[in-house]
Amino acid sequence: MTQDIPNIEKVKDYLLKLQDSICQTLELADGKGSFIEDNWQRELGGGGRTRVLTNGSVIEQGGVNFSHVYGGELPASATAARPELAGRSFQAVGVSLVIHPHNPYVPTTHANVRFFVAEKEGEEPVWWFGGGFDLTPFYPFEEDVVHWHSVAKKVCDPFGDSVYPTYKKWCDDYFYLKHRDETRGVGGLFFDDLNQQGFDASFKFMQAVGNGFLDAYIPIVEKRKAMPFGQRERDFQLYRRGRYVEFNLVFDRGTLFGLQTGGRTESILMSMPPLARWEYNFNPSADSPEADLYNNYLHPREWLK
């Protein structure tokens, strides 16, 4: 069907508007900070629009990136699971964000929506959507996690009853630190290789995920951003941020893809927290708020009854 032909310009237009919407809403929630913008060009093809907010009243550091890169050959990170794509030219367009709040009671969050096309002369293009959003609290509240997953389920429900449980599990499995035997946070949604329903339906799902992020995150920010905290909470937040660094450098496919394709290093690594700490053999005190995170939130759970 002609209307179902992949249209990267249509996706690009949506993603640029999504970046605008997310940045404007986050600035309103912060109340003080504003995003600075860097436009950059990739030597091998393409470029992007990086926006970073630092030292806001709520956001210690956050980035919302748009990129559209292309080249003659997919990198190893993109073809490891799909060797049949080796040697194809590619285009990749996406929005990716990471928010590191100052207050330990406001969770860190990550979201990403993206579209790939891999082409070879004389063959049909291979394309797919991917993305999701996930939440990393330090001092979690069950009602916040339930809200987060309720929005995730609401995003998925119009597309079928199996979509939320499938992509929720995929998120739990993906954001898992094997060497720590714990999840990075409380999950959310993760999907990749989405093309089975055709371009239009797949694009609609990607848009639903992109549009759903603010509905999931902003109410939690508003509820927690004014909570008082002390040095103990701050130290624990910085310690747990170390796990974020470990995941991004050891496991994250997006970081690897960006570095292997010669992307802008500053934009790729803006996902890192501005401050983090490590402590040898840390174990939280029994029955402490810190132990609550370890005991009740860092292994997959069904949050919705």
Side-chain angles (χ1 to χ4, degrees):
M1 295 184 295
T2 54
Q3 73 269 25
D4 214 38
I5 295 171
N7 185 337
I8 196 165
E9 289 303 318
K10 199 172 171 183
V11 179
K12 185 174 177 179
D13 181 62
Y14 163 73
L15 290 171
L16 286 165
K17 290 174 182 171
L18 178 68
Q19 185 191 33
D20 288 341
S21 169
I22 289 174
C23 289
Q24 289 161 8
T25 305
L26 288 172
E27 285 180 349
L28 285 173
D30 185 272
K32 172 191 167 189
S34 56
F35 284 92
I36 60 165
E37 179 175 292
D38 282 327
N39 286 283
W40 54 274
Q41 298 297 315
R42 176 175 171 269
E43 199 172 308
L44 297 171
R49 192 168 76 174
T50 294
R51 291 179 180 168
V52 176
L53 188 158
T54 55
N55 298 318
S57 62
V58 177
I59 300 171
E60 186 172 2
Q61 183 167 294
V64 184
N65 287 350
F66 166 83
S67 63
H68 176 204
V69 299
Y70 46 86
E73 189 169 345
L74 279 159
S77 61
T79 59
R82 301 178 69 169
E84 74 277 9
L85 299 181
R88 283 179 175 249
S89 64
F90 75 95
Q91 292 194 69
V93 61
V95 163
S96 180
L97 68 88
V98 177
I99 305 299
H100 293 289
H102 185 66
N103 190 319
Y105 289 104
V106 181
T108 283
T109 192
H110 156 262
N112 169 255
V113 280
R114 58 191 179 273
F115 178 65
F116 277 78
V117 184
E119 297 178 288
K120 191 172 186 179
E121 192 173 343
E123 297 187 25
E124 286 288 307
V126 177
W127 58 266
W128 66 95
F129 289 94
F133 48 67
D134 63 283
L135 194 70
T136 306
F138 309 103
Y139 289 93
F141 297 85
E142 187 161 340
E143 65 187 90
D144 294 352
V145 183
V146 169
H147 161 77
W148 179 261
H149 279 274
S150 296
V151 174
K153 185 174 184 298
K154 186 178 178 183
V155 162
C156 294
D157 280 350
F159 300 89
D161 293 342
S162 66
V163 175
Y164 167 73
T166 299
Y167 293 159
K168 187 258 185 204
K169 183 179 187 306
W170 202 345
C171 190
D172 289 336
D173 292 345
Y174 180 73
F175 292 105
Y176 173 71
L177 286 82
K178 301 177 185 69
H179 61 288
R180 298 286 191 180
D181 188 27
E182 62 187 41
T183 54
R184 188 170 79 173
V186 296
L189 300 174
F190 181 90
F191 69 98
D192 208 357
D193 302 320
L194 180 68
N195 58 18
Q196 298 85 351
Q197 305 302 317
F199 176 80
D200 290 345
S202 302
F203 183 31
K204 280 178 186 170
F205 180 73
M206 188 264 259
Q207 291 175 82
V209 172
N211 297 340
F213 166 73
L214 290 172
D215 294 336
Y217 190 53
I218 294 299
I220 298 172
V221 174
E222 295 296 342
K223 192 179 287 189
R224 307 299 169 195
K225 67 183 183 181
M227 289 183 69
F229 64 92
Q231 192 61 45
R232 168 181 167 161
E233 290 83 7
R234 178 66 169 165
D235 285 346
F236 184 63
Q237 176 200 44
L238 297 186
Y239 174 73
R240 289 300 309 176
R241 279 181 179 177
R243 297 291 205 272
Y244 216 87
V245 174
E246 290 175 24
F247 181 88
N248 278 21
L249 293 182
V250 176
F251 298 115
D252 188 70
R253 296 202 316 239
T255 301
L256 198 58
F257 176 84
L259 294 173
Q260 287 183 353
T261 54
R264 182 174 182 255
T265 302
E266 287 298 310
S267 299
I268 297 161
L269 296 181
M270 69 87 210
S271 61
M272 297 302 178
L275 295 170
R277 58 184 286 270
W278 282 260
E279 181 177 326
Y280 177 71
N281 203 26
F282 171 80
N283 288 292
S285 303
D287 301 322
S288 66
E290 294 80 11
D292 181 45
L293 174 71
Y294 284 81
N295 295 337
N296 298 312
Y297 292 89
L298 296 184
H299 291 90
R301 278 176 56 184
E302 294 305 321
W303 296 101
L304 305 179
K305 305 299 185 229

